Amino acid sequence: MKGSACTPFHGLPCDGGAALYDYPMFKPKRSVLQYLQDYFEMHQLEEFARFNERVTQVTSLGQGSWQLDSESELGRRRYHSRFVAVCTSKLRRPFEPEIQGRETFQGRVLHSREYRSGRAFVGQDVLVAGSGNSAAEIAADLVEQGACAVTLLVNGPRHFIPLPRMGYTARLGQFLGKLTEEQAYADWSCVFGTDQFQKAVERKDTFMSSLAIDLSKHGIDRPPVGFQAANVKEGRIGTFDQGAIHMIRRGRIAVCRGRFAALGASEALLDDGSRLEGLGAVVLATGFQPKLEEFIAEPERFLERGQEGKGCGLGYLTPRTDGRCRSTIDDSLFFVGFDHAAKGTHRHTDKQTRRHKHTQTQTHKHTDTQTHRRTETNRHTETHRD
């Protein structure tokens, strides 16, 4: 990704101030990976980590007793624990719509998870299905890398906010004392379904609306609900843009409304009967799905369909939780990433305490790499979620 949706409040707890002082507000892929590596080393997590090992089933053996089965190249293993935290989030499996005639398409059809660089599509006409962050970034990258023609296939409204505008506003808010640890914690403390939560969402949506760009005359309507409300209730995340808005306005990225009806050898037939011809590739920026039922034993016990506020719509099985990630069925089970805060997450510790700790724990390695991290350019690199 060119920049993650990370804000100053998305640092991990007890990171010595690294997220706040060593890294940019919106982090490119390499910075995210380096931050996680630094955190890993800081807390000496090596002996507790297992890499290249996939959990195949999580089974309850009774209240506060769990069995985890996994597999790797070395074979299968079984673990037992008192607590389980499921951190695969709602973005676990790529969602690819079934498209009639896909096998007849002579070009390449790929999900955004597989996308690496527009250099592979130089001189081609490319259709990008979607209008979210991945779709916008990929479309802009395709234009920059020399694709012949790029078209966004849009199936619904979407908020578009220029990322630099969001970053500037966040820094200004910090400077003016509007974005504080205390305020972030207060927002985090609101639980979905309460009046307090709803009012906090409405305040954020009023602010975010002032930053959004209206692209309706170019084919992308503004949603009838606010930025955060669309995310929490429908799982429709707004787009933090780094170039696509300008390209759409100038006609370098075309916008076509509709859905796939079928694919032919080099064309896409849409649900309104129109056709897009001469295509060399199709990128499905169609999002992800949780699919927790693939490895949670007794899904009918721990999961439920049709729950509001889980950030992925009503069609998926999502965890039964207390609004703070803890299962209401067994309080030793946690599901991270499904219970939304009204405005974002908090950083857990007092800012001044973290600043003091950070100063004490700075190493020469941190100092030597700090300037490089801060000046790293945000070139497009797609991140992937398992």
Side-chain angles (χ1 to χ4, degrees):
M1 300 172 68
K2 285 185 177 178
S4 74
C6 293
T7 73
F9 303 115
H10 282 81
L12 293 171
C14 306
D15 69 357
L20 186 59
Y21 303 111
D22 284 356
Y23 291 88
M25 179 176 294
F26 300 99
K27 304 167 184 62
K29 176 183 176 182
R30 282 175 289 181
S31 290
V32 172
L33 293 176
Q34 187 60 55
Y35 172 73
L36 294 174
Q37 182 63 38
D38 290 347
Y39 188 87
F40 190 77
E41 294 174 357
M42 176 181 294
H43 293 283
Q44 300 178 342
L45 301 177
E46 291 86 350
E47 65 177 298
F48 306 107
R50 301 290 184 272
F51 294 106
N52 300 315
E53 189 169 342
R54 184 173 67 91
V55 174
T56 57
Q57 190 166 64
V58 176
T59 306
S60 172
L61 301 180
Q63 198 77 9
S65 179
W66 298 93
Q67 175 180 293
L68 284 77
D69 293 295
S70 69
E71 61 181 18
S72 68
E73 294 181 353
L74 301 178
R76 298 179 178 179
R77 298 186 66 172
R78 175 166 288 177
Y79 301 88
H80 290 89
S81 67
R82 290 176 54 199
F83 298 91
V84 171
V86 178
C87 303
T88 56
S89 90
K90 60 191 178 187
L91 306 175
R92 179 172 170 266
R93 289 287 190 197
F95 171 72
E96 296 190 28
E98 294 185 7
I99 305 174
Q100 181 181 347
R102 176 172 174 169
E103 69 283 355
T104 68
F105 187 72
Q106 295 180 356
R108 185 180 179 190
V109 180
L110 67 156
H111 189 270
S112 59
R113 175 178 176 173
E114 305 170 64
Y115 183 89
R116 295 295 182 273
S117 169
R119 289 190 295 271
F121 306 94
V122 173
Q124 297 183 34
D125 288 2
V126 183
L127 178 63
V128 181
S131 61
N133 286 280
S134 293
E137 291 186 19
I138 288 171
D141 185 61
L142 287 165
V143 171
E144 291 173 351
Q145 298 296 333
C148 183
V150 179
T151 302
L152 279 178
L153 181 61
V154 177
N155 182 40
R158 182 83 64 173
H159 289 289
F160 269 71
I161 295 178
L163 187 62
R165 180 182 295 185
M166 182 65 188
Y168 171 79
T169 305
R171 292 185 184 93
L172 181 62
Q174 286 181 310
F175 178 77
L176 296 175
K178 301 295 185 181
L179 292 178
T180 65
E181 294 282 349
E182 293 75 19
Q183 183 61 49
Y185 185 84
D187 292 332
W188 178 85
S189 300
C190 301
V191 178
F192 176 80
T194 64
D195 290 341
Q196 185 185 22
F197 184 97
Q198 183 60 32
K199 290 178 181 178
V201 168
E202 290 173 357
R203 287 195 300 271
K204 177 175 182 178
D205 285 346
T206 298
F207 168 70
M208 296 295 280
S209 294
S210 68
L211 303 179
I213 300 296
D214 187 357
L215 294 174
S216 56
K217 70 177 183 179
H218 300 284
I220 303 177
D221 292 332
R222 298 186 72 163
V225 297
F227 187 96
Q228 185 69 352
N231 182 14
V232 173
K233 294 182 178 181
E234 305 169 6
R236 197 163 179 82
I237 302 172
T239 298
F240 290 104
D241 177 65
Q242 289 202 102
I245 292 174
H246 179 70
M247 294 178 185
I248 290 171
R249 284 173 161 174
R250 293 177 61 88
R252 299 182 68 189
I253 296 176
V255 176
C256 180
R257 297 188 187 186
R259 296 188 179 199
F260 285 109
L263 283 175
S266 61
E267 65 179 6
L269 176 65
L270 305 184
D271 57 355
D272 63 357
S274 62
R275 297 175 183 269
L276 297 174
E277 300 178 332
L279 298 175
V282 174
V283 181
L284 302 174
T286 45
F288 296 79
Q289 50 194 336
K291 289 293 184 181
L292 298 174
E293 64 272 21
E294 292 182 348
F295 67 94
I296 298 292
E298 300 181 273
E300 70 284 352
R301 180 183 175 198
F302 296 101
L303 310 176
E304 184 178 352
R305 201 180 305 275
Q307 297 189 89
E308 291 188 346
K310 298 299 182 181
C312 53
L314 304 179
Y316 296 113
L317 284 170
T318 53
R320 294 172 172 169
T321 55
D322 61 357
R324 282 291 168 267
C325 303
R326 188 189 294 266
S327 172
T328 56
I329 308 302
D330 189 323
D331 62 8
S332 63
L333 175 63
F334 299 82
F335 293 90
V336 178
F338 286 89
D339 290 327
H340 281 258
K343 294 188 180 180
T345 56
H346 71 300
R347 282 178 288 179
H348 302 278
T349 55
D350 179 75
K351 183 186 295 185
Q352 297 302 322
T353 301
R354 289 184 58 182
R355 182 186 293 274
H356 177 67
K357 181 178 179 181
H358 175 68
T359 301
Q360 290 182 323
T361 57
Q362 277 280 42
T363 64
H364 291 297
K365 177 183 176 182
H366 256 139
T367 303
D368 291 341
T369 58
Q370 185 173 348
T371 302
H372 169 71
R373 290 175 188 157
R374 285 177 176 167
T375 57
E376 184 176 8
T377 57
N378 290 346
R379 300 300 300 168
H380 178 94
T381 309
E382 179 75 358
T383 58
H384 308 292
R385 309 170 178 92
D386 291 321

